[in-house]
Amino acid sequence: MPSVAASEISSVDSLDFDKVDMSSLDQHAHAHTFVGAIDQGTTSSRFLIFNSKGEVVVTHQLEFKQIYPQPGWHEHDPYELVSSVETCINGAVHQFESQGHSKADIKAVGITNQRETTLVWDARTGEPLYNAIVWTDTRSAELVRTLKRRLGSNGVTELCGLPLSTYPSGAKLLWLLQNVPAVQKAYEEGNLAFGTVDTWLVYKLNGGPRKNVFVTDPSNASRTLFMNIHTLEYDEQLLDFLRLDRKKVQLPKIVQSSHETAYGKLESTALKGIRITGCLGDQSAALVGQKGFTPGLAKNTYGTGCFLLYNCGPKPVISKNGLLTTVAFDFGPGKRMYALEGSIAVAGSSVKFLVENFGFIQGSSEISALAETVDDNGGCCFVTAFSGLFAPYWVDDARGTIFGITAYTQRGHIARATLEATCFQTKAILNAMEKDSGVAMTELAVDGGMCNSDLTMQTQADLIGMPVNRPGMRETTALGAAIAAGLAVGVWESFDDLKSVNLEGRTIFKPLIGKEDAEARFGRWEKAVQMSKGWLA
């Protein structure tokens, strides 16, 4: 039984167990129970501490450098990924203790992370052999075209749930093997370690090669091209197709997303000795944070990119309409769920583009105000294909194009068209999900930075013709990591314990235009998509 404060029980000898309300003691204990969450994203790292009600107690965030060596290339410094996380842990714990809490009450830590971003390091020393290649990076485009012509390419998606594209980690690893001598050397000598960001963080936070905690979870492993989506094990047929020798590249062990011991303990920071007990790729974490535990529930996260996940149940559904099949989460027997996913490469980053490249506004938070200076998009349509188009189109050679510009066009029209681009792509993904699943959704749960814009969420509801449900507490990605960690150590015993988490302050946006109007607008978007193709040909 959890310990009870001495102020509540003066003497164990005088305790009458027949008269004690055990549930009230449990509630008291849980009031002093907290879970930490590392949220390592594309542009920043954060550490959040949640209480047992799923409320954010403190948070600390740190942006880090984005490296763009060439057009279409996007990298991160592997050391900075780790150091930024450590700084955020220390900063959040300092705030936590300054509020009068004890770090001893933090029962576990979960991790959520940018997914396909690829790292390689020397398995003997733990030293990285190249910068992390970020999920948005398109340098492997020519290599992917070669793979698509290779015998057996038609069977890849059926095995791993992913199409051949620049998006998954596998293409990035092949590029490294072909172009970076240090990576080639480590591979030939059998010392090459591969991992996504979750694996790298767990490995380094556990002390690196000394402890050698070298693991990943299925929601991350399902983004690599290496894992069989049906068995949750590395697939020899896939590795053979990619011409990778398992004896020469070390792949992390795939373990449950929620596990009491598999992810080790923090070896440094203010939380040294605290166990890491949960791990989920960021979009899976957001689905968990939105409590999408059962089939038929869906969420859309409007972050740097935009990601819509639909819980399709305990068996994978292989899409026929341009979607990905991914592992939603694996919390043990009977608690493994799959998802159909639609990925949009550019969402919040398009707003950042207006700030940094065009100077339309001073900060991203001003985008809605600028868009509201006009009544509509003025005939403009902005296909934000900065690095090609992802789901459901999968067009690597598309590029960002703005159609319909006239002498009448103002900054507000471009701002509105920028916000609409994400909403249109979301509608395209929902249409594909309905075709694959055979079931039409009735509501869309949303989170992420762009959902702070009431205009964007109303536009989304108008275009998809269904209510958009926005929670009051929108840190659902980090909450998902905390839930995964908390379930492993008994902070929450079951999904039922989470029913009351994060219910307050929700806003429901209902459609305000008719279906015919929505379809006409979408038709113009689809025409623009077709016209944006072929710019790299």
Side-chain angles (χ1 to χ4, degrees):
M1 187 183 91
S3 60
V4 180
S7 60
E8 292 205 2
I9 302 175
S10 58
S11 166
V12 173
D13 294 335
S14 65
L15 184 62
D16 186 344
F17 282 91
D18 293 332
K19 297 180 180 179
V20 172
D21 182 351
M22 299 303 288
S23 64
S24 68
L25 297 184
D26 285 342
Q27 290 171 7
H28 177 87
H30 276 284
H32 296 280
T33 297
F34 302 90
V35 183
I38 295 167
D39 184 353
Q40 202 300 298
T42 308
T43 58
S44 69
S45 296
R46 301 188 303 158
F47 188 73
L48 300 88
I49 300 175
F50 293 88
N51 62 21
S52 59
K53 296 179 181 179
E55 298 168 334
V56 178
V57 180
V58 297
T59 180
H60 191 95
Q61 182 171 0
L62 183 65
E63 292 193 356
F64 52 85
K65 185 178 180 181
Q66 305 298 308
I67 304 168
Y68 301 102
Q70 296 184 34
W73 293 31
H74 189 183
E75 299 176 359
H76 290 155
D77 179 343
Y79 291 113
E80 194 173 9
L81 294 180
V82 178
S83 65
S84 62
V85 165
E86 292 174 334
T87 298
C88 290
I89 291 173
N90 290 333
V93 172
H94 177 74
Q95 293 178 56
F96 186 69
E97 291 183 321
S98 69
Q99 293 180 8
H101 301 295
S102 170
K103 64 183 180 183
D105 291 327
I106 300 174
K107 303 305 179 185
V109 169
I111 293 177
T112 183
N113 57 281
Q114 50 171 318
R115 294 175 298 175
E116 296 80 7
T117 297
T118 299
L119 295 108
V120 285
W121 61 95
D122 188 309
R124 300 166 301 176
T125 66
E127 298 303 311
L129 299 170
Y130 195 80
N131 277 342
I133 299 183
V134 182
W135 60 274
T136 57
D137 190 284
T138 59
R139 74 185 69 185
S140 59
E142 183 57 42
L143 187 154
V144 168
R145 283 192 278 272
T146 300
L147 289 176
K148 287 179 177 179
R149 294 191 294 267
R150 186 176 291 177
L151 184 66
S153 61
N154 292 337
V156 169
T157 300
E158 184 65 37
L159 286 172
C160 70
L162 304 177
L164 288 169
S165 78
T166 60
Y167 186 30
S169 308
K172 304 179 200 309
L173 176 60
L174 293 184
W175 185 92
L176 287 164
L177 284 168
Q178 292 180 11
N179 293 278
V180 182
V183 177
Q184 296 169 350
K185 184 174 185 293
Y187 179 74
E188 291 303 326
E189 294 175 352
N191 297 319
L192 179 64
F194 158 87
T196 43
V197 170
D198 58 309
T199 299
W200 173 246
L201 289 179
V202 169
Y203 177 76
K204 296 299 281 187
L205 292 173
N206 271 277
R210 184 169 61 85
K211 290 287 185 67
N212 197 32
V213 181
F214 187 49
V215 295
T216 189
D217 97 295
S219 72
N220 280 293
S222 63
R223 317 302 296 187
T224 61
L225 287 178
F226 306 149
M227 189 191 82
N228 187 303
I229 198 71
H230 307 276
T231 65
L232 304 196
E233 296 176 353
Y234 294 119
D235 189 277
E236 290 301 328
Q237 188 174 339
L238 288 168
L239 293 170
D240 286 346
F241 171 79
L242 297 170
R243 297 175 185 169
L244 286 172
D245 187 341
R246 276 296 302 276
K247 296 178 182 177
K248 294 182 177 180
V249 60
Q250 299 182 27
L251 303 177
K253 181 181 179 181
I254 302 170
V255 299
Q256 286 178 198
S257 309
S258 179
H259 198 285
E260 193 172 1
T261 60
Y263 297 99
K265 298 178 180 179
L266 292 166
E267 281 294 303
S268 61
T269 77
L271 293 182
K272 181 177 180 179
I274 299 294
R275 286 177 291 172
I276 303 169
T277 58
C279 181
L280 288 164
D282 51 10
Q283 304 314 318
S284 286
L287 183 66
V288 170
Q290 291 275 22
K291 296 180 288 185
F293 301 127
T294 54
L297 297 180
K299 70 88 202 175
N300 200 15
T301 297
Y302 300 77
T304 302
C306 194
F307 302 87
L308 201 158
L309 262 68
Y310 171 88
N311 186 326
C312 62
K315 294 183 179 180
V317 174
I318 304 300
S319 176
K320 305 297 183 185
N321 294 284
L323 302 177
L324 311 181
T325 304
T326 195
V327 177
F329 53 84
D330 182 6
F331 292 159
K335 296 180 180 178
R336 174 196 297 171
M337 292 289 170
Y338 290 89
L340 284 168
E341 175 176 341
S343 308
I344 300 169
V346 176
S349 54
S350 64
V351 178
K352 193 173 182 180
F353 171 80
L354 292 188
V355 176
E356 296 183 352
N357 294 48
F358 282 4
F360 276 15
I361 45 180
Q362 294 298 310
S364 296
S365 61
E366 300 172 16
I367 184 70
S368 274
L370 177 58
E372 287 170 357
T373 61
V374 294
D375 294 330
D376 53 36
N377 61 25
C380 288
C381 192
F382 188 179
V383 182
T384 52
F386 299 158
S387 54
L389 285 169
F390 284 12
Y393 307 107
W394 297 108
V395 183
D396 290 340
D397 61 3
R399 282 298 176 267
T401 42
I402 304 176
F403 299 98
I405 293 178
T406 68
Y408 168 74
T409 303
Q410 302 172 36
R411 291 184 305 157
H413 295 128
I414 302 298
R416 190 175 279 259
T418 302
L419 296 176
E420 288 176 349
T422 299
C423 299
F424 280 126
Q425 290 177 81
T426 296
K427 177 174 173 57
I429 290 168
L430 284 171
N431 289 348
M433 286 183 171
E434 184 174 340
K435 291 176 184 176
D436 280 329
S437 68
V439 178
M441 281 179 285
T442 58
E443 182 179 272
L444 180 65
V446 298
D447 51 62
M450 281 183 77
C451 86
N452 292 327
S453 164
D454 287 358
L455 173 63
T456 305
M457 293 301 96
Q458 185 58 57
T459 301
Q460 189 67 87
D462 289 344
L463 290 175
I464 64 178
M466 72 177 77
V468 168
N469 187 334
R470 183 178 70 188
M473 195 288 290
R474 294 166 207 167
E475 301 290 0
T476 51
T477 303
L479 177 59
I483 288 172
L487 285 170
V489 296
V491 173
W492 301 285
E493 297 291 344
S494 67
F495 293 156
D496 285 342
D497 289 347
L498 293 156
K499 285 181 178 178
S500 61
V501 167
N502 198 22
L503 292 180
E504 296 182 3
R506 287 186 174 265
T507 304
I508 307 296
F509 296 87
K510 296 181 179 180
L512 297 178
I513 68 172
K515 183 177 180 180
E516 187 175 328
D517 189 0
E519 290 302 326
R521 296 183 191 185
F522 184 64
R524 286 193 294 272
W525 162 262
E526 290 279 84
K527 181 180 179 180
V529 166
Q530 294 305 315
M531 294 169 67
S532 74
K533 296 178 179 179
W535 285 94
L536 295 186

